[in-house]
């Protein structure tokens, strides 16, 4: 028996691991369950490593940028160049501070206009998968965040939380093909569902051909999906194609948010029980 | 033990580099799948059965950090490792060309499955095109990384006993 196990070690371990992973996968395939304690621990351990490496890399690049060209300079120019460099670095730093200040002021002004309680967070990483558009932020369950909360900036909707650990949360971006937002046209009140598409653009599905939708129309959230409150900015219509025989129009939307330059975001906090109740009602309706 | 710790260290390094690529180059939508390349490398170079746990764990961590349903990559990377180990016993020799071709051959079905799983609405030919494109990127990256991985293997992964055994 022992010999048999030894001889077929690879096969036995492979089959065991395959069934373990299949079991975990099938438990998560239909609905995204909350991360368990072990999975949260992995996120809480790996993200600080990622942060630290990012900071070291940034410092390394900054050092190279600032000083590498001074190495071979003549002695009499070293001090002057260093001073110029320092001043330039200081100017850049101040510029960066000014930009960050403007950005944060905008975010703060926007935060004041919101009725719901919001938590601000910083983007610390992006998901490594080629198939999912996700970001990771530095706020988690300790700050009252749980899966299914809307994430926004002053420009509009960013996405929603899918996984949370104690100190970090993962956001599925609105431009991901697996994401959807229930919307209305601000001008004509036409309804539809925004889904992610290619090149940071979105498509609007289920807009009836009879509806009046025009290029440059502003699109806002309808609040019907149970995740995004009503009235949040989503984007602007970029292209509309109508075919007289089709039931629905083909509508392309350009989101207001620049998803490649996300640095700070706001998470709209809602009562977990209320959100679960809304999601339950939505699921029942779908059934 | 040293072999295991080294592999775990390189697995963490691979994960960190992957995350940094995603963070610093968000506009590049098709990035090389370093996890896949790493799993292919350990599957065709190492003859230790227990390395399958590294493949499984890497997939599991990738699932958690990427937002995919937990278990998806863990399952795919386990299958990748086993399939390659089975072929490795009969076919493979260690060189850059085989490593590149293997990465490409593994990457195509892997990308098609993931494309179907996440972007099924795009249509088969769109998924196939994207899968081939990603596979070329993965194969190219594998070719570029091979000398480095080979050096690391000789320096860290082959144990003293194995070197003695070779002579």
């Amino acid at each position: 028996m022992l010999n048999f196990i030894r001889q077929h070690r690879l096969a036995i371990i492979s089959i065991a691991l395959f069934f373990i992973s299949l079991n975990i996968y099938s438990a998560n395939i239909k609905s995204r369950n909350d991360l368990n304690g072990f999975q949260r621990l992995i996120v809480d351990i790996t993200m600080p490593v990622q942060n630290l490496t990012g900071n070291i890399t940034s410092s390394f690049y900054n050092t190279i940028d600032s000083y590498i060209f001074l190495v071979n300079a003549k002695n009499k120019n070293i001090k002057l160049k260093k001073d110029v460099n320092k001043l330039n670095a200081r100017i850049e730093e101040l510029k960066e501070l000014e930009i960050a200040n403007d950005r944060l002021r905008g975010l703060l002004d926007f935060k004041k206009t919101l009725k719901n309680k919001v938590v601000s967070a910083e983007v610390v990483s992006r998901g490594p998968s080629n198939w999912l558009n996700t970001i990771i932020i530095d706020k988690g369950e300790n700050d009252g965040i749980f899966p299914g909360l809307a994430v926004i900036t002053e420009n509009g909707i960013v996405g929603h939380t899918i996984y949370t650990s104690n100190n970090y949360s993962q956001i599925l971006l609105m431009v991901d093909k697996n994401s959807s937002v229930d919307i209305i046209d601000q001008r004509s009140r036409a309804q539809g569902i925004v889904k992610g598409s290619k090149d940071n653009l979105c498509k609007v599905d289920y807009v009836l051909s009879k509806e009046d939708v025009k290029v440059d129309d502003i699109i806002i959230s309808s609040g019907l999906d149970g995740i995004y409150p009503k009235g949040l900015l989503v984007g602007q219509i970029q292209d509309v194609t109508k075919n007289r025989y089709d039931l629905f129009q083909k509508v392309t939307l350009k989101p207001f948010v620049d998803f490649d330059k996300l640095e700070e975001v706001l998470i709209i906090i809602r009562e977990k029980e209320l959100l679960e109740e809304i999601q339950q009602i939505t699921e029942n309706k779908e059934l | 033990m040293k072999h295991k710790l080294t592999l775990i260290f390189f697995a963490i390094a691979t994960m960190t580099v992957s995350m940094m690529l995603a963070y610093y180059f968000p506009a590049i939508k098709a990035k090389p799948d370093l996890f896949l390349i790493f799993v292919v490398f350990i599957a065709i170079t190492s003859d230790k059965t227990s390395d399958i746990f590294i493949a499984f764990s890497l997939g599991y961590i990738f699932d958690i950090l990427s937002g995919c349903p937990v278990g998806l990559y863990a399952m795919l990377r386990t299958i990748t490792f086993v399939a390659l180990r089975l072929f490795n016993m009969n076919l493979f020799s260690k060189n850059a060309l085989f490593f590149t071709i293997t990465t490409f051959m593994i990457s195509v079905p892997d990308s098609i499955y993931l494309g179907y799983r996440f972007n099924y609405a795009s249509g088969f030919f769109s998924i196939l095109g994207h899968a081939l494109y990603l596979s070329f990127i993965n194969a190219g990256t594998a070719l570029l990384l091979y000398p480095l991985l080979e050096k690391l293997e000789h320096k860290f992964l082959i144990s003293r006993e194995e070197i003695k055994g070779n002579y």
Side-chain angles (χ1 to χ4, degrees):
Chain A
M1 181 67 184
L2 213 61
N3 275 343
F4 177 82
I5 293 172
R6 264 185 205 148
Q7 270 178 359
H8 300 90
R9 204 167 40 175
L10 178 65
I12 292 166
I13 296 172
S14 310
I15 291 166
L17 284 180
F18 175 74
F19 278 108
I20 290 169
S21 49
L22 190 66
N23 195 23
I24 302 169
Y25 179 43
S26 51
N28 288 285
I29 198 164
K30 272 200 170 175
S31 59
R32 292 172 192 279
N33 294 331
D34 287 359
L35 295 182
N36 61 35
F38 177 64
Q39 291 162 348
R40 281 177 199 172
L41 188 71
I42 289 176
V43 176
D44 285 334
I45 290 171
T46 50
M47 287 321 296
V49 175
Q50 157 72 13
N51 272 349
L52 183 73
T53 324
N55 289 341
I56 292 169
T57 321
S58 297
S59 313
F60 179 69
Y61 279 126
N62 287 341
T63 313
I64 287 178
D65 281 350
S66 305
Y67 296 111
I68 202 159
F69 298 111
L70 292 173
V71 173
N72 298 321
K74 288 178 182 174
N75 286 339
K76 61 180 179 181
N77 287 331
I78 287 175
K79 194 180 172 299
L80 283 172
K81 280 187 178 175
K82 268 186 183 173
D83 286 349
V84 170
N85 229 21
K86 270 182 192 169
L87 286 171
N88 279 339
R90 185 75 186 138
I91 289 167
E92 289 304 317
E93 206 174 286
L94 287 172
K95 270 185 195 169
E96 187 56 37
L97 276 175
E98 202 181 332
I99 293 165
N101 200 12
D102 284 348
R103 211 171 49 226
L104 291 171
R105 193 181 293 137
L107 211 60
L108 197 67
D109 289 345
F110 176 64
K111 202 171 165 179
K112 281 176 192 164
T113 64
L114 292 169
K115 289 173 195 164
N116 302 63
K117 187 190 166 196
V118 288
V119 171
S120 53
E122 214 168 293
V123 178
V124 290
S125 185
R126 280 175 185 268
S129 172
N130 279 318
W131 301 99
L132 276 182
N133 263 323
T134 56
I135 55 169
I136 299 170
I137 55 168
D138 64 348
K139 295 282 163 67
E141 283 176 7
N142 291 345
D143 305 281
I145 297 168
F146 52 87
L149 293 180
V151 181
I152 55 173
T153 67
E154 73 272 30
N155 294 327
I157 290 177
V158 171
H160 69 277
T161 52
I162 49 170
Y163 290 133
T164 50
S165 72
N166 293 337
N167 300 309
Y168 297 95
S169 301
Q170 201 151 40
I171 318 293
L172 184 68
L173 299 180
M174 191 180 72
V175 283
D176 188 273
K177 288 179 181 173
N178 298 282
S179 175
S180 53
V181 185
D182 203 291
I183 54 98
I184 43 173
D185 187 318
Q186 201 174 41
R187 183 183 57 80
S188 67
R189 313 312 280 180
Q191 289 194 326
I193 291 174
V194 165
K195 288 197 161 195
S197 186
K198 288 175 192 169
D199 305 323
N200 281 355
L201 292 174
C202 295
K203 56 179 182 170
V204 189
D205 286 345
Y206 310 115
V207 182
L208 290 169
S209 287
K210 65 173 186 182
E211 297 284 6
D212 174 27
V213 179
K214 287 177 183 165
V215 174
D216 291 342
D217 275 2
I218 305 283
I219 297 298
I220 57 170
S221 59
S222 70
L224 294 175
D225 50 30
I227 293 179
Y228 304 98
K230 189 175 180 177
L232 293 174
L233 285 172
V234 178
Q236 201 163 18
I237 301 290
Q238 198 180 49
D239 185 46
V240 181
T241 314
K242 274 188 189 181
N243 187 335
R244 57 193 289 198
Y245 301 111
D246 282 348
L247 189 60
F248 302 112
Q249 309 179 35
K250 281 179 185 166
V251 183
T252 310
L253 175 132
K254 187 172 171 52
F256 287 124
V257 174
D258 187 347
F259 291 92
D260 291 340
K261 290 174 186 163
L262 281 173
E263 288 180 59
E264 291 96 13
V265 292
L266 297 173
I267 302 105
I268 301 178
I269 303 292
R270 301 168 84 174
E271 294 291 324
K272 194 171 187 178
E273 291 76 20
L274 182 71
L275 193 74
E276 278 171 355
E277 215 169 285
I278 295 169
Q279 280 168 354
Q280 191 74 42
I281 293 165
T282 320
E283 274 171 25
N284 288 344
K285 266 187 184 174
E286 279 171 7
L287 288 172
Chain B
M1 190 64 190
K2 189 189 165 194
H3 172 89
K4 294 266 174 315
L5 287 175
T6 313
L7 270 185
I8 290 167
F9 173 78
F10 284 123
I12 293 169
T14 309
M15 183 199 73
T16 310
V17 173
S18 290
M19 302 280 283
M20 279 167 63
L21 273 180
Y23 187 71
Y24 287 109
F25 305 102
I28 301 169
K29 300 297 173 203
K31 290 171 278 284
D33 189 343
L34 297 179
F35 281 79
L36 177 77
I37 295 168
F38 188 68
V39 170
V40 170
F41 185 77
I42 58 171
I44 65 171
T45 53
S46 163
D47 50 3
K48 289 186 169 57
T49 308
S50 55
D51 287 347
I52 192 173
F53 289 109
I54 299 283
F56 174 80
S57 313
L58 261 179
Y60 189 75
I61 294 172
F62 194 91
D63 281 328
I64 294 169
L65 296 179
S66 65
C68 295
V70 181
L72 174 65
Y73 273 91
M75 187 176 70
L76 286 177
R77 294 298 164 259
T78 307
I79 294 170
T80 304
F81 185 91
V82 176
L84 282 174
R85 278 301 303 276
L86 292 176
F87 280 115
N88 186 24
M89 286 171 188
N90 306 310
L91 287 174
F92 288 114
S93 58
K94 283 186 209 172
N95 65 47
L97 187 66
F98 269 113
F99 180 51
T100 309
I101 292 170
T102 312
T103 308
F104 182 80
M105 300 291 278
I106 285 291
S107 188
V108 172
D110 190 80
S111 305
I112 288 175
Y113 176 72
L114 288 168
Y116 178 74
R117 172 68 182 79
F118 292 115
N119 296 336
Y120 66 94
S122 310
F124 177 74
F125 287 105
S126 167
I127 291 171
L128 182 69
H130 196 57
L132 285 172
Y133 176 56
L134 279 178
S135 304
F136 277 115
I137 289 176
N138 286 339
T141 313
L143 184 64
L144 288 175
L145 287 178
Y146 187 77
L148 177 74
L149 288 168
E150 204 185 23
K151 266 187 190 168
L152 293 174
E153 186 207 3
H154 282 297
K155 208 161 190 181
F156 299 107
L157 297 181
I158 295 177
S159 64
R160 202 173 287 271
E161 285 73 19
E162 280 172 293
I163 294 169
K164 273 182 190 168
N166 287 340
Y167 289 98

